[in-house]
Amino acid sequence: MEQPQQTTCDAEAILTAQLPMLKAYLRHLLRSSADADDVAQEVCLETLKNPQILQRGADTGAYLRGIARHLASRHQRHVARHPVIEEFVELAWST
């Protein structure tokens, strides 16, 4: 018997329930609340673009943490390749 497709409403409910855990996990990985929020938002967007990736009966928390771990690694690589120059940031904020 085939499982019914996950709808966007179902995915939203799952994400709403899992978001606090997901953000805590990302804060642990990234050591920055701002970066954790950014990556959590990416996880939500990826999940909402393709809600059928969340399988009924599966451990959705573990699945979302896997997506989050992948996106956090990608974020860390991006930050390492493109460092922010503090003087530029201060200059941008002062104008």
Side-chain angles (χ1 to χ4, degrees):
M1 186 164 148
E2 208 171 300
Q3 294 282 342
Q5 291 292 320
Q6 196 79 295
T7 67
T8 303
C9 291
D10 294 339
E12 287 176 7
I14 291 168
L15 286 170
T16 299
Q18 295 290 328
L19 196 57
M21 172 277 308
L22 195 60
K23 284 185 177 182
Y25 178 67
L26 287 165
R27 278 192 302 272
H28 172 75
L29 290 177
L30 298 171
R31 307 283 189 229
S32 164
S33 291
D35 289 344
D37 288 343
D38 290 344
V39 175
Q41 186 176 34
E42 288 182 48
V43 172
C44 291
L45 289 173
E46 289 297 318
T47 304
L48 292 173
K49 279 195 280 187
N50 194 9
Q52 64 273 11
I53 62 174
L54 299 176
Q55 301 171 1
R56 292 189 187 279
D59 185 354
T60 55
Y63 191 76
L64 291 171
R65 284 189 304 275
I67 295 171
R69 185 176 56 247
H70 170 74
L71 292 175
S73 294
R74 188 171 74 183
H75 177 79
Q76 288 173 322
R77 284 191 304 272
H78 177 78
V79 168
R81 289 182 189 138
H82 304 93
V84 175
I85 301 169
E86 292 299 321
E87 295 82 25
F88 177 75
V89 172
E90 289 175 15
L91 179 64
W93 283 103
S94 66
T95 56

PDB file of all heavy atoms in Angstrom, residues 5-17 19 22 39-54 63-64 67 71:
ATOM      1  N   GLN A   5       1.009  11.281  -0.327  1.00  0.00           N
ATOM      2  CA  GLN A   5       2.006  12.329  -0.461  1.00  0.00           C
ATOM      3  C   GLN A   5       1.857  13.339   0.673  1.00  0.00           C
ATOM      4  O   GLN A   5       0.753  13.659   1.098  1.00  0.00           O
ATOM      5  CB  GLN A   5       1.840  13.041  -1.808  1.00  0.00           C
ATOM      6  CG  GLN A   5       2.190  12.186  -2.992  1.00  0.00           C
ATOM      7  CD  GLN A   5       3.677  11.883  -3.063  1.00  0.00           C
ATOM      8  OE1 GLN A   5       4.497  12.740  -2.788  1.00  0.00           O
ATOM      9  NE2 GLN A   5       4.005  10.665  -3.406  1.00  0.00           N
ATOM     10  N   GLN A   6       2.981  13.831   1.138  1.00  0.00           N
ATOM     11  CA  GLN A   6       2.999  14.843   2.180  1.00  0.00           C
ATOM     12  C   GLN A   6       2.553  16.170   1.564  1.00  0.00           C
ATOM     13  O   GLN A   6       2.995  16.540   0.489  1.00  0.00           O
ATOM     14  CB  GLN A   6       4.428  14.954   2.711  1.00  0.00           C
ATOM     15  CG  GLN A   6       4.545  15.669   4.006  1.00  0.00           C
ATOM     16  CD  GLN A   6       4.166  14.804   5.174  1.00  0.00           C
ATOM     17  OE1 GLN A   6       3.021  14.412   5.278  1.00  0.00           O
ATOM     18  NE2 GLN A   6       5.092  14.527   6.034  1.00  0.00           N
ATOM     19  N   THR A   7       1.679  16.885   2.213  1.00  0.00           N
ATOM     20  CA  THR A   7       1.228  18.176   1.703  1.00  0.00           C
ATOM     21  C   THR A   7       2.039  19.290   2.354  1.00  0.00           C
ATOM     22  O   THR A   7       2.703  19.085   3.371  1.00  0.00           O
ATOM     23  CB  THR A   7      -0.262  18.404   1.997  1.00  0.00           C
ATOM     24  OG1 THR A   7      -0.433  18.529   3.406  1.00  0.00           O
ATOM     25  CG2 THR A   7      -1.120  17.285   1.440  1.00  0.00           C
ATOM     26  N   THR A   8       1.924  20.479   1.780  1.00  0.00           N
ATOM     27  CA  THR A   8       2.618  21.629   2.338  1.00  0.00           C
ATOM     28  C   THR A   8       2.116  21.932   3.742  1.00  0.00           C
ATOM     29  O   THR A   8       2.898  22.287   4.624  1.00  0.00           O
ATOM     30  CB  THR A   8       2.437  22.859   1.426  1.00  0.00           C
ATOM     31  OG1 THR A   8       2.921  22.521   0.119  1.00  0.00           O
ATOM     32  CG2 THR A   8       3.195  24.050   1.941  1.00  0.00           C
ATOM     33  N   CYS A   9       0.814  21.763   3.986  1.00  0.00           N
ATOM     34  CA  CYS A   9       0.252  22.005   5.328  1.00  0.00           C
ATOM     35  C   CYS A   9       0.858  21.045   6.348  1.00  0.00           C
ATOM     36  O   CYS A   9       1.182  21.444   7.469  1.00  0.00           O
ATOM     37  CB  CYS A   9      -1.259  21.870   5.322  1.00  0.00           C
ATOM     38  SG  CYS A   9      -2.077  23.193   4.422  1.00  0.00           S
ATOM     39  N   ASP A  10       0.997  19.768   5.952  1.00  0.00           N
ATOM     40  CA  ASP A  10       1.624  18.790   6.842  1.00  0.00           C
ATOM     41  C   ASP A  10       3.068  19.189   7.128  1.00  0.00           C
ATOM     42  O   ASP A  10       3.528  19.116   8.272  1.00  0.00           O
ATOM     43  CB  ASP A  10       1.610  17.390   6.216  1.00  0.00           C
ATOM     44  CG  ASP A  10       0.215  16.818   6.064  1.00  0.00           C
ATOM     45  OD1 ASP A  10      -0.698  17.273   6.770  1.00  0.00           O
ATOM     46  OD2 ASP A  10       0.053  15.916   5.218  1.00  0.00           O
ATOM     47  N   ALA A  11       3.788  19.591   6.093  1.00  0.00           N
ATOM     48  CA  ALA A  11       5.183  19.984   6.256  1.00  0.00           C
ATOM     49  C   ALA A  11       5.302  21.200   7.165  1.00  0.00           C
ATOM     50  O   ALA A  11       6.198  21.263   8.014  1.00  0.00           O
ATOM     51  CB  ALA A  11       5.821  20.256   4.895  1.00  0.00           C
ATOM     52  N   GLU A  12       4.404  22.156   7.002  1.00  0.00           N
ATOM     53  CA  GLU A  12       4.427  23.344   7.864  1.00  0.00           C
ATOM     54  C   GLU A  12       4.209  22.961   9.322  1.00  0.00           C
ATOM     55  O   GLU A  12       4.872  23.487  10.212  1.00  0.00           O
ATOM     56  CB  GLU A  12       3.373  24.353   7.420  1.00  0.00           C
ATOM     57  CG  GLU A  12       3.720  25.077   6.141  1.00  0.00           C
ATOM     58  CD  GLU A  12       2.608  26.005   5.665  1.00  0.00           C
ATOM     59  OE1 GLU A  12       1.612  26.202   6.397  1.00  0.00           O
ATOM     60  OE2 GLU A  12       2.749  26.538   4.555  1.00  0.00           O
ATOM     61  N   ALA A  13       3.278  22.054   9.573  1.00  0.00           N
ATOM     62  CA  ALA A  13       3.012  21.614  10.949  1.00  0.00           C
ATOM     63  C   ALA A  13       4.231  20.906  11.540  1.00  0.00           C
ATOM     64  O   ALA A  13       4.591  21.140  12.699  1.00  0.00           O
ATOM     65  CB  ALA A  13       1.790  20.697  10.980  1.00  0.00           C
ATOM     66  N   ILE A  14       4.865  20.066  10.739  1.00  0.00           N
ATOM     67  CA  ILE A  14       6.061  19.353  11.201  1.00  0.00           C
ATOM     68  C   ILE A  14       7.177  20.347  11.487  1.00  0.00           C
ATOM     69  O   ILE A  14       7.852  20.268  12.520  1.00  0.00           O
ATOM     70  CB  ILE A  14       6.493  18.293  10.170  1.00  0.00           C
ATOM     71  CG1 ILE A  14       5.473  17.165  10.124  1.00  0.00           C
ATOM     72  CG2 ILE A  14       7.887  17.763  10.478  1.00  0.00           C
ATOM     73  CD1 ILE A  14       5.640  16.209   8.965  1.00  0.00           C
ATOM     74  N   LEU A  15       7.393  21.294  10.576  1.00  0.00           N
ATOM     75  CA  LEU A  15       8.451  22.285  10.772  1.00  0.00           C
ATOM     76  C   LEU A  15       8.188  23.147  12.002  1.00  0.00           C
ATOM     77  O   LEU A  15       9.115  23.449  12.755  1.00  0.00           O
ATOM     78  CB  LEU A  15       8.587  23.164   9.525  1.00  0.00           C
ATOM     79  CG  LEU A  15       9.244  22.485   8.326  1.00  0.00           C
ATOM     80  CD1 LEU A  15       9.100  23.353   7.089  1.00  0.00           C
ATOM     81  CD2 LEU A  15      10.695  22.177   8.605  1.00  0.00           C
ATOM     82  N   THR A  16       6.941  23.531  12.215  1.00  0.00           N
ATOM     83  CA  THR A  16       6.598  24.335  13.386  1.00  0.00           C
ATOM     84  C   THR A  16       6.935  23.581  14.669  1.00  0.00           C
ATOM     85  O   THR A  16       7.491  24.155  15.613  1.00  0.00           O
ATOM     86  CB  THR A  16       5.104  24.708  13.366  1.00  0.00           C
ATOM     87  OG1 THR A  16       4.854  25.481  12.192  1.00  0.00           O
ATOM     88  CG2 THR A  16       4.717  25.507  14.588  1.00  0.00           C
ATOM     89  N   ALA A  17       6.643  22.304  14.684  1.00  0.00           N
ATOM     90  CA  ALA A  17       6.927  21.487  15.872  1.00  0.00           C
ATOM     91  C   ALA A  17       8.422  21.254  16.059  1.00  0.00           C
ATOM     92  O   ALA A  17       8.914  21.204  17.192  1.00  0.00           O
ATOM     93  CB  ALA A  17       6.196  20.149  15.770  1.00  0.00           C
ATOM     94  N   LEU A  19      11.008  23.160  14.774  1.00  0.00           N
ATOM     95  CA  LEU A  19      11.870  24.332  14.633  1.00  0.00           C
ATOM     96  C   LEU A  19      12.692  24.673  15.882  1.00  0.00           C
ATOM     97  O   LEU A  19      13.886  24.955  15.754  1.00  0.00           O
ATOM     98  CB  LEU A  19      11.054  25.537  14.173  1.00  0.00           C
ATOM     99  CG  LEU A  19      11.852  26.706  13.625  1.00  0.00           C
ATOM    100  CD1 LEU A  19      12.743  26.290  12.462  1.00  0.00           C
ATOM    101  CD2 LEU A  19      10.913  27.821  13.187  1.00  0.00           C
ATOM    102  N   LEU A  22      15.522  22.258  16.005  1.00  0.00           N
ATOM    103  CA  LEU A  22      16.390  22.478  14.855  1.00  0.00           C
ATOM    104  C   LEU A  22      17.299  23.687  15.084  1.00  0.00           C
ATOM    105  O   LEU A  22      18.507  23.624  14.823  1.00  0.00           O
ATOM    106  CB  LEU A  22      15.524  22.681  13.612  1.00  0.00           C
ATOM    107  CG  LEU A  22      16.180  22.578  12.262  1.00  0.00           C
ATOM    108  CD1 LEU A  22      16.801  21.207  12.058  1.00  0.00           C
ATOM    109  CD2 LEU A  22      15.160  22.855  11.180  1.00  0.00           C
ATOM    110  N   VAL A  39      20.382  29.376   8.554  1.00  0.00           N
ATOM    111  CA  VAL A  39      20.395  28.001   8.058  1.00  0.00           C
ATOM    112  C   VAL A  39      19.066  27.310   8.356  1.00  0.00           C
ATOM    113  O   VAL A  39      18.568  26.537   7.536  1.00  0.00           O
ATOM    114  CB  VAL A  39      21.603  27.215   8.625  1.00  0.00           C
ATOM    115  CG1 VAL A  39      21.546  25.753   8.213  1.00  0.00           C
ATOM    116  CG2 VAL A  39      22.916  27.844   8.144  1.00  0.00           C
ATOM    117  N   ALA A  40      18.453  27.596   9.501  1.00  0.00           N
ATOM    118  CA  ALA A  40      17.132  27.021   9.810  1.00  0.00           C
ATOM    119  C   ALA A  40      16.120  27.463   8.761  1.00  0.00           C
ATOM    120  O   ALA A  40      15.278  26.669   8.322  1.00  0.00           O
ATOM    121  CB  ALA A  40      16.686  27.438  11.207  1.00  0.00           C
ATOM    122  N   GLN A  41      16.221  28.719   8.342  1.00  0.00           N
ATOM    123  CA  GLN A  41      15.325  29.205   7.301  1.00  0.00           C
ATOM    124  C   GLN A  41      15.563  28.450   5.990  1.00  0.00           C
ATOM    125  O   GLN A  41      14.614  28.092   5.293  1.00  0.00           O
ATOM    126  CB  GLN A  41      15.536  30.704   7.102  1.00  0.00           C
ATOM    127  CG  GLN A  41      14.556  31.329   6.142  1.00  0.00           C
ATOM    128  CD  GLN A  41      14.744  32.824   6.040  1.00  0.00           C
ATOM    129  OE1 GLN A  41      15.859  33.333   6.138  1.00  0.00           O
ATOM    130  NE2 GLN A  41      13.652  33.536   5.847  1.00  0.00           N
ATOM    131  N   GLU A  42      16.823  28.168   5.669  1.00  0.00           N
ATOM    132  CA  GLU A  42      17.131  27.392   4.464  1.00  0.00           C
ATOM    133  C   GLU A  42      16.541  25.984   4.550  1.00  0.00           C
ATOM    134  O   GLU A  42      16.025  25.466   3.554  1.00  0.00           O
ATOM    135  CB  GLU A  42      18.636  27.309   4.253  1.00  0.00           C
ATOM    136  CG  GLU A  42      19.283  28.587   3.805  1.00  0.00           C
ATOM    137  CD  GLU A  42      20.771  28.405   3.576  1.00  0.00           C
ATOM    138  OE1 GLU A  42      21.156  27.435   2.895  1.00  0.00           O
ATOM    139  OE2 GLU A  42      21.542  29.231   4.092  1.00  0.00           O
ATOM    140  N   VAL A  43      16.625  25.369   5.727  1.00  0.00           N
ATOM    141  CA  VAL A  43      16.048  24.035   5.921  1.00  0.00           C
ATOM    142  C   VAL A  43      14.547  24.081   5.678  1.00  0.00           C
ATOM    143  O   VAL A  43      13.986  23.228   4.981  1.00  0.00           O
ATOM    144  CB  VAL A  43      16.347  23.484   7.339  1.00  0.00           C
ATOM    145  CG1 VAL A  43      15.583  22.194   7.599  1.00  0.00           C
ATOM    146  CG2 VAL A  43      17.843  23.262   7.526  1.00  0.00           C
ATOM    147  N   CYS A  44      13.897  25.095   6.233  1.00  0.00           N
ATOM    148  CA  CYS A  44      12.447  25.237   6.041  1.00  0.00           C
ATOM    149  C   CYS A  44      12.105  25.429   4.562  1.00  0.00           C
ATOM    150  O   CYS A  44      11.169  24.807   4.051  1.00  0.00           O
ATOM    151  CB  CYS A  44      11.913  26.403   6.863  1.00  0.00           C
ATOM    152  SG  CYS A  44      11.964  26.124   8.641  1.00  0.00           S
ATOM    153  N   LEU A  45      12.857  26.267   3.877  1.00  0.00           N
ATOM    154  CA  LEU A  45      12.594  26.500   2.455  1.00  0.00           C
ATOM    155  C   LEU A  45      12.771  25.229   1.642  1.00  0.00           C
ATOM    156  O   LEU A  45      11.948  24.916   0.778  1.00  0.00           O
ATOM    157  CB  LEU A  45      13.511  27.605   1.925  1.00  0.00           C
ATOM    158  CG  LEU A  45      13.194  29.010   2.400  1.00  0.00           C
ATOM    159  CD1 LEU A  45      14.277  29.987   1.952  1.00  0.00           C
ATOM    160  CD2 LEU A  45      11.841  29.454   1.895  1.00  0.00           C
ATOM    161  N   GLU A  46      13.835  24.492   1.907  1.00  0.00           N
ATOM    162  CA  GLU A  46      14.068  23.236   1.180  1.00  0.00           C
ATOM    163  C   GLU A  46      12.936  22.243   1.429  1.00  0.00           C
ATOM    164  O   GLU A  46      12.487  21.562   0.516  1.00  0.00           O
ATOM    165  CB  GLU A  46      15.410  22.616   1.580  1.00  0.00           C
ATOM    166  CG  GLU A  46      16.618  23.355   1.080  1.00  0.00           C
ATOM    167  CD  GLU A  46      16.703  23.390  -0.440  1.00  0.00           C
ATOM    168  OE1 GLU A  46      16.431  22.354  -1.082  1.00  0.00           O
ATOM    169  OE2 GLU A  46      17.029  24.456  -0.983  1.00  0.00           O
ATOM    170  N   THR A  47      12.482  22.186   2.665  1.00  0.00           N
ATOM    171  CA  THR A  47      11.414  21.255   3.021  1.00  0.00           C
ATOM    172  C   THR A  47      10.093  21.667   2.382  1.00  0.00           C
ATOM    173  O   THR A  47       9.354  20.821   1.873  1.00  0.00           O
ATOM    174  CB  THR A  47      11.268  21.176   4.547  1.00  0.00           C
ATOM    175  OG1 THR A  47      12.533  20.803   5.112  1.00  0.00           O
ATOM    176  CG2 THR A  47      10.236  20.156   4.953  1.00  0.00           C
ATOM    177  N   LEU A  48       9.799  22.963   2.384  1.00  0.00           N
ATOM    178  CA  LEU A  48       8.541  23.426   1.804  1.00  0.00           C
ATOM    179  C   LEU A  48       8.533  23.350   0.282  1.00  0.00           C
ATOM    180  O   LEU A  48       7.476  23.200  -0.325  1.00  0.00           O
ATOM    181  CB  LEU A  48       8.233  24.849   2.275  1.00  0.00           C
ATOM    182  CG  LEU A  48       7.898  24.964   3.760  1.00  0.00           C
ATOM    183  CD1 LEU A  48       7.769  26.423   4.167  1.00  0.00           C
ATOM    184  CD2 LEU A  48       6.635  24.194   4.104  1.00  0.00           C
ATOM    185  N   LYS A  49       9.719  23.453  -0.341  1.00  0.00           N
ATOM    186  CA  LYS A  49       9.788  23.299  -1.797  1.00  0.00           C
ATOM    187  C   LYS A  49       9.505  21.865  -2.218  1.00  0.00           C
ATOM    188  O   LYS A  49       9.023  21.635  -3.309  1.00  0.00           O
ATOM    189  CB  LYS A  49      11.186  23.693  -2.315  1.00  0.00           C
ATOM    190  CG  LYS A  49      11.375  25.177  -2.472  1.00  0.00           C
ATOM    191  CD  LYS A  49      12.587  25.483  -3.318  1.00  0.00           C
ATOM    192  CE  LYS A  49      13.844  25.384  -2.502  1.00  0.00           C
ATOM    193  NZ  LYS A  49      15.049  25.825  -3.239  1.00  0.00           N
ATOM    194  N   ASN A  50       9.824  20.934  -1.336  1.00  0.00           N
ATOM    195  CA  ASN A  50       9.695  19.518  -1.656  1.00  0.00           C
ATOM    196  C   ASN A  50       9.130  18.770  -0.439  1.00  0.00           C
ATOM    197  O   ASN A  50       9.836  17.978   0.187  1.00  0.00           O
ATOM    198  CB  ASN A  50      11.077  18.986  -2.051  1.00  0.00           C
ATOM    199  CG  ASN A  50      11.021  17.656  -2.721  1.00  0.00           C
ATOM    200  OD1 ASN A  50       9.956  17.156  -3.058  1.00  0.00           O
ATOM    201  ND2 ASN A  50      12.172  17.058  -2.912  1.00  0.00           N
ATOM    202  N   PRO A  51       7.849  19.007  -0.077  1.00  0.00           N
ATOM    203  CA  PRO A  51       7.314  18.456   1.172  1.00  0.00           C
ATOM    204  C   PRO A  51       7.231  16.931   1.206  1.00  0.00           C
ATOM    205  O   PRO A  51       7.194  16.344   2.284  1.00  0.00           O
ATOM    206  CB  PRO A  51       5.925  19.088   1.275  1.00  0.00           C
ATOM    207  CG  PRO A  51       5.565  19.513  -0.088  1.00  0.00           C
ATOM    208  CD  PRO A  51       6.859  19.816  -0.789  1.00  0.00           C
ATOM    209  N   GLN A  52       7.233  16.281   0.059  1.00  0.00           N
ATOM    210  CA  GLN A  52       7.136  14.821   0.069  1.00  0.00           C
ATOM    211  C   GLN A  52       8.412  14.147   0.591  1.00  0.00           C
ATOM    212  O   GLN A  52       8.403  12.944   0.833  1.00  0.00           O
ATOM    213  CB  GLN A  52       6.750  14.274  -1.312  1.00  0.00           C
ATOM    214  CG  GLN A  52       7.738  14.499  -2.405  1.00  0.00           C
ATOM    215  CD  GLN A  52       7.556  15.829  -3.112  1.00  0.00           C
ATOM    216  OE1 GLN A  52       6.807  16.685  -2.663  1.00  0.00           O
ATOM    217  NE2 GLN A  52       8.251  16.007  -4.214  1.00  0.00           N
ATOM    218  N   ILE A  53       9.497  14.933   0.805  1.00  0.00           N
ATOM    219  CA  ILE A  53      10.700  14.323   1.368  1.00  0.00           C
ATOM    220  C   ILE A  53      10.473  13.883   2.809  1.00  0.00           C
ATOM    221  O   ILE A  53      11.183  13.024   3.303  1.00  0.00           O
ATOM    222  CB  ILE A  53      11.934  15.249   1.276  1.00  0.00           C
ATOM    223  CG1 ILE A  53      11.716  16.526   2.073  1.00  0.00           C
ATOM    224  CG2 ILE A  53      12.299  15.526  -0.157  1.00  0.00           C
ATOM    225  CD1 ILE A  53      12.939  17.424   2.144  1.00  0.00           C
ATOM    226  N   LEU A  54       9.483  14.482   3.469  1.00  0.00           N
ATOM    227  CA  LEU A  54       9.138  14.064   4.820  1.00  0.00           C
ATOM    228  C   LEU A  54       8.195  12.873   4.723  1.00  0.00           C
ATOM    229  O   LEU A  54       7.064  13.009   4.293  1.00  0.00           O
ATOM    230  CB  LEU A  54       8.473  15.211   5.586  1.00  0.00           C
ATOM    231  CG  LEU A  54       9.320  16.462   5.783  1.00  0.00           C
ATOM    232  CD1 LEU A  54       8.486  17.535   6.457  1.00  0.00           C
ATOM    233  CD2 LEU A  54      10.564  16.162   6.572  1.00  0.00           C
ATOM    234  N   TYR A  63      15.693  13.376  10.258  1.00  0.00           N
ATOM    235  CA  TYR A  63      15.811  13.727   8.845  1.00  0.00           C
ATOM    236  C   TYR A  63      16.097  15.215   8.689  1.00  0.00           C
ATOM    237  O   TYR A  63      16.985  15.609   7.917  1.00  0.00           O
ATOM    238  CB  TYR A  63      14.539  13.334   8.097  1.00  0.00           C
ATOM    239  CG  TYR A  63      14.700  13.417   6.607  1.00  0.00           C
ATOM    240  CD1 TYR A  63      15.392  12.445   5.915  1.00  0.00           C
ATOM    241  CD2 TYR A  63      14.177  14.489   5.900  1.00  0.00           C
ATOM    242  CE1 TYR A  63      15.553  12.518   4.542  1.00  0.00           C
ATOM    243  CE2 TYR A  63      14.332  14.579   4.532  1.00  0.00           C
ATOM    244  CZ  TYR A  63      15.021  13.585   3.856  1.00  0.00           C
ATOM    245  OH  TYR A  63      15.189  13.667   2.510  1.00  0.00           O
ATOM    246  N   LEU A  64      15.392  16.060   9.429  1.00  0.00           N
ATOM    247  CA  LEU A  64      15.621  17.499   9.364  1.00  0.00           C
ATOM    248  C   LEU A  64      16.994  17.876   9.896  1.00  0.00           C
ATOM    249  O   LEU A  64      17.654  18.777   9.363  1.00  0.00           O
ATOM    250  CB  LEU A  64      14.526  18.254  10.111  1.00  0.00           C
ATOM    251  CG  LEU A  64      13.145  18.218   9.465  1.00  0.00           C
ATOM    252  CD1 LEU A  64      12.106  18.811  10.402  1.00  0.00           C
ATOM    253  CD2 LEU A  64      13.147  18.930   8.124  1.00  0.00           C
ATOM    254  N   ILE A  67      19.441  17.273   7.101  1.00  0.00           N
ATOM    255  CA  ILE A  67      19.417  18.379   6.142  1.00  0.00           C
ATOM    256  C   ILE A  67      20.138  19.589   6.746  1.00  0.00           C
ATOM    257  O   ILE A  67      20.946  20.238   6.082  1.00  0.00           O
ATOM    258  CB  ILE A  67      17.967  18.753   5.767  1.00  0.00           C
ATOM    259  CG1 ILE A  67      17.298  17.601   5.019  1.00  0.00           C
ATOM    260  CG2 ILE A  67      17.935  20.027   4.929  1.00  0.00           C
ATOM    261  CD1 ILE A  67      15.807  17.787   4.808  1.00  0.00           C
ATOM    262  N   LEU A  71      23.394  21.630   5.305  1.00  0.00           N
ATOM    263  CA  LEU A  71      23.343  23.061   4.997  1.00  0.00           C
ATOM    264  C   LEU A  71      24.277  23.868   5.898  1.00  0.00           C
ATOM    265  O   LEU A  71      24.852  24.872   5.460  1.00  0.00           O
ATOM    266  CB  LEU A  71      21.909  23.569   5.093  1.00  0.00           C
ATOM    267  CG  LEU A  71      20.956  23.033   4.016  1.00  0.00           C
ATOM    268  CD1 LEU A  71      19.534  23.495   4.270  1.00  0.00           C
ATOM    269  CD2 LEU A  71      21.414  23.438   2.626  1.00  0.00           C
TER     270      LEU A  71
END
